[in-house]
């Protein structure tokens, strides 16, 4: 019986009983902390044959503590927290779940766009405090929306936006212009997108800084920025300054730098509460996405444990 270490909080928490599926395949599921603290994980890693990993780091030190490990199945799309070189040096394949949560994240991005344009969270807070004064919002159909990163999620956002009727721009260095046009957006380079759009939504991979003080200098006053991708895409201090001087009208994000330990983010300053919307990394947390991510990651684990190749390997880039 192989031991599958699971450090994703929502694994098997949807409609599907994935723990039972793993047991039926002859394996045992063992739970570990989602933050991947090595001191807590070390005894669990020592006996693990497979690891369904959450968003926490997977480092050389983690792998050194896991002598039996045969696969790391990243529960979700992003894999920048995984040391791919360290895994490759040990012959451990790394997989992810491409597309499994695309619909959920695209839905959430649209929800944040609308919430920011219509100041919905701030309106709710003010009514509860007895303040029924009105802050005038903007219509989505009258905006130009720029989508940064036009993969499955970005294209899903464009599809959802199409019913509202805005002009849709997209920037993606990996996609040909004709593919972007066929998916309902105008292809532009990143600088033009930031100069032109009223609403900018980020769907690019982490490990890069796309929004800093210099880039914010070029946006239209009153721009709305939405981030359901990764916190390292943005400079939070620069965003806070841009919110204070009116360069940005609002910032809406599904996570902050440090994720659940982000209590000291400059974006959480009390005076920015009417312009900043933050959700607790829940964009992918729908029943359907949880089932999809869990099924795909578990299927790859079971395949490797029986000696087959996984269906969704992460390829290292040069």
């Amino acid at each position: 019986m192989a031991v599958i270490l699971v450090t994703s909080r929502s694994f098997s928490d949807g409609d599907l009983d994935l723990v039972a599926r793993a047991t039926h395949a002859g394996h045992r599921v063992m739970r570990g902390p989602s933050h991947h603290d090595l001191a807590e994980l070390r005894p669990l890693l020592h006996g693990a044959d497979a690891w369904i990993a959450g968003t926490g780091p997977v480092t050389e030190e983690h792998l050194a503590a896991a002598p039996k490990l045969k696969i790391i199945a990243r529960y979700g799309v992003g894999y920048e927290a995984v040391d791919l070189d360290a895994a490759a040096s040990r012959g451990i394949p790394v997989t992810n779940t491409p597309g499994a949560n695309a619909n959920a994240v695209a839905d959430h991005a649209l929800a944040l766009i609308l919430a920011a344009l219509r100041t919905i969270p701030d309106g709710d807070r003010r009514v509860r405090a007895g303040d029924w004064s009105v802050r005038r919002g903007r219509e989505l159909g009258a905006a130009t929306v720029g989508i940064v990163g036009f993969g499955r999620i970005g294209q899903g956002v464009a599809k959802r936006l199409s019913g509202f009727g805005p002009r849709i721009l997209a920037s993606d260095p990996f996609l040909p212009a004709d593919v972007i046009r066929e998916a309902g957006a105008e292809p532009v380079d990143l600088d033009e997108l930031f100069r032109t759009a009223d609403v900018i939504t980020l769907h690019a991979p982490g490990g890069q800084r796309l929004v800093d003080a210099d880039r914010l200098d070029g946006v239209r006053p009153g721009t709305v920025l939405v981030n359901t991708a990764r916190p390292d895409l943005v400079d939070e201090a620069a965003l806070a300054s841009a919110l204070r001087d009116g360069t940005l009208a609002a910032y809406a994000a599904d996570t902050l730098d440090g994720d659940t330990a982000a209590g000291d983010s400059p974006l959480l300053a009390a005076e920015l509460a009417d312009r900043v919307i933050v959700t607790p990394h829940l964009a992918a947390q729908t029943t359907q996405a949880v089932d999809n991510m869990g099924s795909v990651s578990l299927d790859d684990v079971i395949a490797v444990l029986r000696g087959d190749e996984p269906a969704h390997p992460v390829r290292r880039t040069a």
Side-chain angles (χ1 to χ4, degrees):
M1 176 183 289
V3 174
I4 302 171
L5 173 62
V6 174
T7 56
S8 167
R9 288 172 291 187
S10 62
F11 178 82
S12 196
D13 194 30
D15 287 338
L16 301 179
D17 189 346
L18 299 176
V19 173
R21 184 187 296 181
T23 302
H24 182 73
H27 309 306
R28 179 168 67 91
V29 171
M30 177 174 57
R31 298 280 186 169
S34 62
H35 50 68
H36 294 184
D37 178 77
L38 184 55
E40 294 184 47
L41 273 183
R42 191 183 300 277
L44 303 178
L45 286 168
H46 183 76
D49 298 280
W51 185 2
I52 297 179
T55 56
V58 179
T59 67
E60 167 77 32
E61 289 75 20
H62 286 87
L63 299 184
K68 299 171 59 181
L69 200 63
K70 300 176 180 65
I71 177 175
I72 301 163
R74 169 68 186 91
Y75 182 91
V77 178
Y79 50 83
E80 62 271 12
V82 181
D83 188 331
L84 297 180
D85 291 333
S89 71
R90 289 172 165 78
I92 301 172
V94 177
T95 65
N96 66 344
T97 61
N101 60 15
N103 284 331
V105 178
D107 282 355
H108 195 67
L110 183 60
L112 289 178
I113 290 170
L114 289 167
L117 285 174
R118 302 305 301 270
T119 66
I120 290 172
D122 179 59
D124 177 78
R125 283 191 295 266
R126 287 188 290 107
V127 166
R128 293 175 188 278
D131 178 2
W132 285 79
S133 61
V134 174
R135 288 181 63 197
R136 185 172 296 164
R138 290 185 283 171
E139 295 179 17
L140 181 51
T144 295
V145 181
I147 302 174
V148 180
F150 209 56
R152 292 181 180 89
I153 297 172
Q155 291 181 36
V157 172
K159 182 178 179 180
R160 287 156 175 78
L161 287 170
S162 64
F164 291 85
R167 180 187 179 196
I168 304 173
L169 312 178
S171 177
D172 193 313
F174 304 105
L175 284 184
D178 59 335
V179 172
I180 293 175
R181 291 191 187 95
E182 287 172 8
E186 302 173 35
V188 296
D189 66 35
L190 191 61
D191 289 333
E192 182 180 352
L193 185 149
F194 271 82
R195 287 193 303 266
T196 307
D198 305 296
V199 177
I200 300 168
T201 179
L202 304 179
H203 303 284
Q208 56 184 327
R209 180 60 55 84
L210 296 180
V211 185
D212 56 16
D214 289 340
R215 181 147 275 144
L216 288 168
D217 280 343
V219 304
R220 302 178 66 176
T223 294
V224 168
L225 180 64
V226 174
N227 183 7
T228 54
R230 292 290 184 268
D232 62 352
L233 295 176
V234 304
D235 180 334
E236 292 187 354
L239 291 185
S241 295
L243 288 161
R244 288 188 173 96
D245 67 22
T247 300
L248 291 181
Y251 179 64
D254 189 43
T255 186
L256 296 174
D257 187 27
D259 202 8
T260 55
D264 60 350
S265 170
L267 294 168
L268 295 178
E271 73 271 18
L272 297 179
D274 61 338
R275 284 154 283 173
V276 175
I277 303 167
V278 184
T279 53
H281 212 153
L282 55 74
Q285 294 300 316
T286 66
T287 299
Q288 294 75 24
V290 164
D291 284 342
N292 289 340
M293 290 186 291
S295 292
V296 171
S297 58
L298 181 60
D299 286 349
D300 277 337
V301 162
I302 291 173
V304 168
L305 291 176
R306 69 170 176 248
D308 296 334
E309 293 295 317
H312 307 93
V314 170
R315 308 292 185 189
R316 285 186 303 161
T317 57

